Amino acid sequence: MSTTETGHAQQDSYEPSEEFVAQANAGKELFDAADADRDAFWAEQANRLHWHEPFTQVLDWSDAPVAKWFVGGKLNVAYNCVDRHVLDGHGDQVAIHWEGDPGDSRDLTYNDLLAEVSRAANTFTDLGLEAGDRVAIYMPMVPEAIIAMLACARLGLTHSVVFAGFSPTALRSRVDDAEARLVITTDGQWRRGKSAPLKEAVDEALYANGDVPHSVEHVLVVRRTEIEIPWTEGRDLWWHDTVAKASPEHACTAFDAEHPLFILYTSGTTGKPKGIIHTTGGYLTQTAYTHHYVFDHKPGKDVYWCTADIGWVTGHSYIVYGPLANRATQVVYEGTPNSPDEHRHWNIVEKYKVSIYYTAPTLVRTFMKWGHTIPGAHDLSSIRLLGSVGEPINPEAWRWYRKYIGADKAPIVDTWWQTETGAIMMSPLPGVTATKPGAAMGPLPGISAKVVDENGKDVTRGDTEANGYLVLDQPWPSMLRGIWGDSERYKATYWEKYAEQGWYFAGDGAKIDTDGAYWVLGRVDDVMNVSGHRISTAEVESALVGHRKVAEAAVVGATDDTTGQGIVAFVILKGSAGEVDSDALVKELKAEVAREISPIARPREIHVVPELPKTRSGKIMRRLLRDVAEGRELGDTSTLVDPSVFEAIRASK
Ligand code: WTA
């Protein structure tokens, strides 16, 4: 994003309408309450939940950087998301309007959800699983995926959801790292009206590496596409033979506020994904709090739709835990926005009268490309609030989103947060904040963030030239509690840069304008953001050098009009590679990365080059490669061993 777009306070600004303010969940007093007494404020938010045993202390930060929130409290996440709504007399309210890819649909009420979650919990118990055990969930967006997550939560089993677009290799490394005892999957998955195998990938993962011993005892399979699947007698079980036949009654027990709720793997700056750990009380408190106030959600009235996948943190926090804790009625959808055609989302909005719609900037830009006449052909008047997440939203897309989807009046909440933060940290409050297109505006009540320089000094407001880093200078309830099995990496990644000050380093660059609005500018580390998905350059490089013809690879994220960033790779071939047809090889390498990691990691471009630009210490200069990939004049090349390598690299483009 250019300086002129982000740097000026005279940007257009949108005040909330009087009509919206009058009915908003949050007013200015929310900020005042948090400022007056932070602990009391969070205690109040926590008490929106049901505690089987009340907590005795709000925050224990004595073991920093591992926080304990709501010390001594006990609760059950599934009870909070399901049972209590039924007990309060809302059992007949629809929890999930589910829309399948091939056009099938299904409604689940809170009564239905309670019965299904109880059945699954009884089955998991029969399989011998106990609180603290890990369960891997590798499923498309079917209701059973949500039921499985809630059943784990109900029993204190720690789930690890693995995006169903990930490869068998990626699944295996996650299963092994967490030592999962159970894997839950589907026979196949629908995509654009066609079925593709999924259980087969689980088998491939579990038999990988010559079937070295692994932790998995059972694979539980939901029938979705009815395709033929491989079967291992004794290990594999059908959901319809087990869960569907189990008792729909299950009495839950409560778990400690700090009991691990889930692990979610995300890309870091090295090739090995990090298993981010989230716990129970603080996580549920902040997801429920933010869902209620940021989305201005009214239980029993709104129809909420978050278009994310449960494989990512947005699906965990804003499809499963936050909305269900708040008794939402929501749309859950399996599919792609242009299948069967580009009207898919707007048909769904019309069908269910969606009032709150939460999506990613990359999709907004795609809608823009398809043209406004597509949403214009539908009655979208039910929409009263729009949300954005996953990457900075460019002002042009923001304005288009408001105008064509929000009828020029729906407030937009641009929500900044991360897998690590667990819940939204910065966002406008829709009934309070005047919004600027492209800005996440500022920390929510109860949250504290700063923009500082390399040395931790506050970056001056309005300074558009300074390199500011976003830091979180106070612990927050839904913060990660560590990286699974690697507490050193946890400290080194997030807490070392500003160790003296005790601040969390988010890995994002940011600026504050003269009005005090925060602008998040994107990653400052080797993490790319492609269509809102986090992918590390190292992961893609390691997939590329895994190919027998590749000697070395360097990967950068280059600006892309639709996907935010696109993956651009530069590879050097092995001397023994001989004469190669480089078009064919590039195709092969792209396919290799898609197979090794996931189709979402397929490089946009691969260039075969004779050399890579390196510093004297042998470090690849990604900054310069990014300049080349984006067609810019080269920055400072004085530290390069051999500046002439660029002639050759340019020639290969
Ligand atoms: C980026 C997704 C600007 C950011 C919830 C962050 C954003 C990373 C925004 C986390 C936003 C997310 N504005 N950038 N509103 N939201 N990001 O872990 O770079 O998949 O560090 O969590 O996405 O991605 P993650």
Side-chain angles (χ1 to χ4, degrees), residues 389-392 414-419 508 520 523 529 534:
V389 62
E391 52 172 320
D414 176 2
T415 63
W416 176 86
W417 59 294
Q418 309 177 300
T419 305
D508 277 318
V520 180
R523 304 290 306 188
N529 191 326
R534 268 167 76 167

Side-chain angles (χ1 to χ4, degrees), residues 404-421:
Y404 293 110
I405 310 301
D408 242 336
K409 64 169 198 270
I412 297 180
V413 290
D414 176 2
T415 63
W416 176 86
W417 59 294
Q418 309 177 300
T419 305
E420 291 86 342
T421 70

